[in-house]
Amino acid sequence: MHHHNALEPSATTAVRDGARLTVHETAQGVNATRLSLSEALGVPLADVRVLSPFLGGGFGAKGPVWPHTMFTAAIARELKRPVKLVLSRAQAYTSNGHRPESHQCFRIGAMRDGTLTAIDHVTTSQVSRTEDLLFNTSEPTRMLYACPDVHVAQRAVKLHLPAPSNMRSPEVVASHGLETALDELSYELGMDPIELRLRNHTSVNPDNGAAFGSKHLRECYRRGADGFGWSERDPRPRSMRDGDTLIGLGMASAAHTAGGRPGAGARVVLSASGRALVQVATHDIGTGTYTVMSQVAADSLGLDLDDVDFELGDTDYPFAFLSAASATAPGVSAAVNRACTTARRSVIDIAVADTQSPLHGVPAGQITVEGGILYDTDRPRRRDTLRAVVTRSSVPAFRGMAHRAGEALLSRILDQLSTGYARTPR
């Protein structure tokens, strides 16, 4: 088994203020937490607010909504006093899920030239007595190499142990088994491990036949081999030494599911000071979301990075999904780009319609915004500033709002949010 052990333990602070319940939570999904609290405690969704402005490590452990969060909020609601709970390090082993113990069984068939003909991969994983969700899927086996016949199966063994859950790099278990088996195959064939993988390289996803949008494994193999002195490797086991120390030199490939989830929203407010405030109910789990989204907003608005303030981790902000499966950067940045593009176009429209603006009457499509400056692309000296446009306008602030997913949609996908990486067994 693998356990998370983030530097920041799971913690909950619940405050009841009249009908309003505010929960400060170490969460990778403030919206999922909000909905779960609303349903469990019978509190209207509008009266629940969840905040998580920064997370000191989650790795999947803080994606699901755990019982200790519910208990803390329920006690605060009953006592009408703030209640705080911080899990101890020992409690993190029983209350945050874990990567389950598993057994990987591979059978691989290949031609003498190394061309794969068949892969049979059976995973047997531990689950609890009360839940049978399976994690650590076999996607790498289905995706990494060209092979005409692939069979994968996942089996569960119910034990009297805590339920497994999400954990960072869920495909690492399957990848380790697959790559170990390929190494054994290369040894049996007397073939270089890199050459074996190159021989079975594929430009399409064998799982669905779709072409990969980009794939640079061939280049990675070459650069890795050059950087690590692969040509000097002795393939015989226990043959390389540094004095009395055995030296191993190996390589492996891996695959990880990633991609943005649709439905995220973003709010942008442009002030008379020339600054932009951008808000999304997403998360920074140590991966730099604050920086990435500020950069996207600055680029989309035509502002300097220092003139953008980005806020997150609050259910009062526009909706975003759970931050997991490498989905935040592509999913939320698209929403931020849409909202900021809408705001920039609004400013341009106001400027060209304003008789006091030097850009009055210029076609909107001819206006460029850079560093907070609006200028006529054909006549760059004809310019105005974003700050001046906003200041002259009778509207105190301009808002651009991208699509915000409805609460009904969130309710339907709550189970998926709570289980994160779980997949239907195949």
Side-chain angles (χ1 to χ4, degrees), residues 47-177:
D47 291 333
V48 181
R49 183 185 184 190
V50 180
L51 299 99
S52 184
F54 193 82
L55 201 66
F59 316 110
K62 297 168 185 174
V65 185
W66 298 104
H68 62 261
T69 300
M70 303 290 191
F71 295 154
T72 305
I75 293 169
R77 185 165 175 257
E78 184 69 21
L79 296 180
K80 300 181 178 59
R81 297 180 60 183
V83 176
K84 179 179 181 179
L85 171 69
V86 180
L87 294 189
S88 68
R89 182 60 63 193
Q91 289 165 342
Y93 282 84
T94 58
S95 302
N96 269 348
H98 59 278
R99 193 196 311 281
E101 183 177 355
S102 67
H103 175 269
Q104 309 287 315
C105 180
F106 278 89
R107 294 189 299 169
I108 293 180
M111 305 292 286
R112 287 292 178 184
D113 65 357
T115 302
L116 293 174
T117 58
I119 299 176
D120 180 34
H121 176 194
V122 178
T123 300
T124 304
S125 294
Q126 161 253 321
V127 297
S128 72
R129 299 295 299 180
T130 57
E131 295 187 39
D132 56 6
L133 288 172
L134 292 171
F135 300 85
N136 304 315
T137 66
S138 305
E139 286 175 296
T141 304
R142 305 199 310 263
M143 294 171 57
L144 266 175
Y145 302 107
C147 184
D149 292 296
V150 176
H151 171 259
V152 298
Q154 300 206 223
R155 299 172 177 172
V157 178
K158 292 196 171 187
L159 301 175
H160 290 284
L161 291 168
S165 184
N166 311 318
M167 191 164 187
R168 181 63 180 144
S169 302
E171 302 89 353
V172 67
V173 175
S175 293
H176 181 267

Side-chain angles (χ1 to χ4, degrees), residues 67 139 145 219 340 398:
E139 286 175 296
Y145 302 107
E219 181 185 356
C340 291
F398 308 104

Side-chain angles (χ1 to χ4, degrees), residues 108-262:
I108 293 180
M111 305 292 286
R112 287 292 178 184
D113 65 357
T115 302
L116 293 174
T117 58
I119 299 176
D120 180 34
H121 176 194
V122 178
T123 300
T124 304
S125 294
Q126 161 253 321
V127 297
S128 72
R129 299 295 299 180
T130 57
E131 295 187 39
D132 56 6
L133 288 172
L134 292 171
F135 300 85
N136 304 315
T137 66
S138 305
E139 286 175 296
T141 304
R142 305 199 310 263
M143 294 171 57
L144 266 175
Y145 302 107
C147 184
D149 292 296
V150 176
H151 171 259
V152 298
Q154 300 206 223
R155 299 172 177 172
V157 178
K158 292 196 171 187
L159 301 175
H160 290 284
L161 291 168
S165 184
N166 311 318
M167 191 164 187
R168 181 63 180 144
S169 302
E171 302 89 353
V172 67
V173 175
S175 293
H176 181 267
L178 175 63
E179 295 301 296
T180 300
L182 286 178
D183 274 357
E184 293 182 5
L185 175 62
S186 69
Y187 185 77
E188 289 293 325
L189 294 174
M191 179 178 291
D192 184 281
I194 293 180
E195 177 59 31
L196 175 63
R197 289 162 175 82
L198 285 171
R199 187 149 300 185
N200 293 285
H201 181 274
T202 177
S203 298
V204 300
N205 185 345
D207 196 30
N208 56 25
F212 289 115
S214 64
K215 186 177 181 182
H216 302 279
L217 262 182
R218 291 183 184 276
E219 181 185 356
C220 288
Y221 290 146
R222 288 195 296 268
R223 294 181 65 177
D226 291 343
F228 285 92
W230 187 259
S231 60
E232 301 174 5
R233 169 182 176 269
D234 188 333
R236 296 173 301 166
R238 304 179 65 86
S239 61
M240 299 175 65
R241 291 179 177 271
D242 181 2
D244 293 332
T245 304
L246 288 169
I247 301 297
L249 189 61
M251 57 81 57
S253 304
H256 177 59
T257 301
R261 293 186 176 99

Side-chain angles (χ1 to χ4, degrees), residues 236-319:
R236 296 173 301 166
R238 304 179 65 86
S239 61
M240 299 175 65
R241 291 179 177 271
D242 181 2
D244 293 332
T245 304
L246 288 169
I247 301 297
L249 189 61
M251 57 81 57
S253 304
H256 177 59
T257 301
R261 293 186 176 99
R267 178 187 301 121
V268 56
V269 179
L270 301 176
S271 69
S273 65
R275 298 185 62 81
L277 173 63
V278 184
Q279 298 169 323
V280 186
T282 186
H283 317 83
D284 193 324
I285 60 176
T287 48
T289 304
Y290 279 105
T291 301
V292 172
M293 299 309 157
S294 296
Q295 291 171 324
V296 172
D299 184 67
S300 302
L301 288 167
L303 289 175
D304 291 330
L305 184 60
D306 289 343
D307 291 327
V308 175
D309 297 309
F310 184 75
E311 296 180 345
L312 52 73
D314 188 337
T315 52
D316 281 354
Y317 300 159
F319 174 86

